[in-house]
Amino acid sequence: MAPKRPKAAGAFPKPVESPAPARPDPNALYAALDLGTNSCRMLIAQPKGSQFHVVDSFSKSVQLGHGLEKTGRLSRTSMARTISALHVCRQKIDRHKVARMRLVATEACRRAKNARDFIRQVRRETGLKLEIIQPEEEARLAVISCAPLVSTKTEQLLVVDIGGGSTELVWIDISAVPRRDRPRAIMRLHAGFHPPESPFPAAKVVDWISVPLGVATLRDQFSDVADDAARYALMSWYFEEHLSDFAPYADEQEREGFQIVGTSGTVTTVAATHLGLRRYDRTKVDGLRMSSDQIETVIQRYLEMGPTGRRRDPRIGPDRHALIMSGSAILQALLRLWPTDRLSVADRGLREGLLYAQMSADGVLEDGPL
């Protein structure tokens, strides 16, 4: 006897639909744009717990400061390139209906004689209102972006932000702050390097400096030196000369409890080369700790490659091959000067700092672990 066909056999199964991700509430979105000497970068994000979730991003090499060293002015070609990138940023802001934003420009616009005319042109052609920020605020924003990477064992912290036109260094003493609260104490610096009295233990900014040398400006100053290795050595020593006014430069520092955090395209590129990544992966780079020997090995490899080899290396990329040695020269000078054989790599910077500062000021971040 043939077996009975079970009930509902052959019926189509009820489809299980995965819900489409809900569009974020525009009222909860924040935008942060960083227009530097070399790059135009933007993040759009929404608060999530004590951090934020990135909804959209943009990054493009615009070389706004190209030729600035010689002329003291932003060139028409550089401004046109930059405005074209800013049109894309405006489209993204409009698409997500972002209302809260901070759009800043840094060293190139601080130095250029025609910067104000450029800012007005940007407003006229894109509707975006750029704000030229001063070096102290740029340094402060870089510091708070790195707060989640600060070890609870750290007592003395040096945060270094290597930009296209300048390099910011901030030395912070957090030895008086309870260990578990040290990253949070760094975050509180969004109110200023010398915030008003607070019931919370405070991070003390020992000193900070903005050196008017970044990867682009340092490269331009030594472009007449033909020998690759000689140019690299000269750039490194020249950068060190500009640190003589930085208070911790002259003092002997304890190795124990010292941490240096580096944030820049140079630092992340060196980290990606060290890891041998075929394709850049932020999750593997951000927070990585590299020894000074590992960094030195990567830099020596760059020197052995020469300009042609660096141009062809996919980890360096076509936008960075001309800048990687000036950035490496800065990095090598810093590791030569201060008592650490470890560098914490931060794939974060001014944009993240702008977002944290806006969200902290609005009170929309939870007071939990970073």
Side-chain angles (χ1 to χ4, degrees), residues 8-265:
F12 289 106
K14 187 175 181 180
V16 178
E17 295 183 8
S18 59
R23 287 182 64 84
D25 178 3
N27 293 321
L29 292 179
Y30 292 76
L33 186 145
D34 166 21
L35 177 59
T37 302
N38 195 55
S39 302
C40 174
R41 294 174 289 193
M42 185 181 72
L43 287 177
I44 296 175
Q46 61 184 6
K48 187 177 182 182
S50 59
Q51 300 195 41
F52 55 76
H53 168 69
V54 175
V55 173
D56 204 347
S57 64
F58 176 80
S59 180
K60 189 171 180 61
S61 173
V62 294
Q63 299 178 53
L64 177 61
H66 184 71
L68 180 60
E69 283 293 305
K70 292 181 180 178
T71 66
R73 299 176 64 84
L74 304 175
S75 72
R76 288 185 180 182
T77 305
S78 297
M79 290 191 291
R81 257 195 320 264
T82 303
I83 289 174
S84 177
L86 290 171
H87 275 296
V88 178
C89 294
R90 180 58 196 249
Q91 289 167 7
K92 288 177 176 284
I93 289 170
D94 289 347
R95 185 184 312 141
H96 293 286
K97 300 178 181 176
V98 183
R100 294 176 176 85
M101 66 189 79
R102 195 139 181 241
L103 319 173
V104 305
T106 56
E107 187 66 13
C109 287
R110 285 196 292 261
R111 293 175 60 187
K113 297 172 186 174
N114 58 338
R116 295 293 172 185
D117 292 336
F118 170 65
I119 297 295
R120 284 192 287 268
Q121 184 181 352
V122 168
R123 182 72 182 273
R124 189 168 60 249
E125 295 190 22
T126 70
L128 296 178
K129 188 177 181 181
L130 286 176
E131 170 190 359
I132 302 174
I133 61 171
Q134 294 307 305
E136 179 175 343
E137 184 171 11
E138 184 177 358
R140 177 160 44 85
L141 291 167
V143 165
I144 65 174
S145 75
C146 296
L149 302 181
V150 176
S151 168
T152 55
K153 297 179 181 178
T154 296
E155 296 190 346
Q156 302 294 324
L157 173 69
L158 175 64
V159 177
V160 182
D161 181 14
I162 306 172
S166 65
T167 299
E168 279 67 46
L169 293 88
V170 186
W171 192 288
I172 305 167
D173 182 348
I174 46 177
S175 57
V177 179
R179 287 193 170 195
R180 60 182 176 80
D181 196 41
R182 286 173 182 176
R184 180 68 56 188
I186 300 296
M187 183 70 79
R188 293 190 193 107
L189 292 173
H190 77 84
F193 278 161
H194 303 287
E197 289 296 319
S198 164
F200 302 106
K204 178 186 175 186
V205 176
V206 177
D207 198 10
W208 73 275
I209 188 172
S210 180
V211 180
L213 294 171
V215 293
T217 47
L218 191 58
R219 174 204 60 189
D220 291 348
Q221 290 207 20
F222 288 87
S223 59
D224 59 335
V225 180
D227 184 81
D228 197 40
R231 183 170 58 251
Y232 165 73
L234 286 168
M235 288 190 295
S236 188
W237 287 108
Y238 184 67
F239 181 81
E240 182 181 341
E241 287 178 0
H242 282 73
L243 298 177
S244 57
D245 292 335
F246 188 47
Y249 174 84
D251 299 331
E252 188 71 25
Q253 302 293 336
E254 290 290 331
R255 179 180 294 269
E256 193 67 29
F258 176 80
Q259 183 182 5
I260 178 170
V261 178
T263 169
S264 71

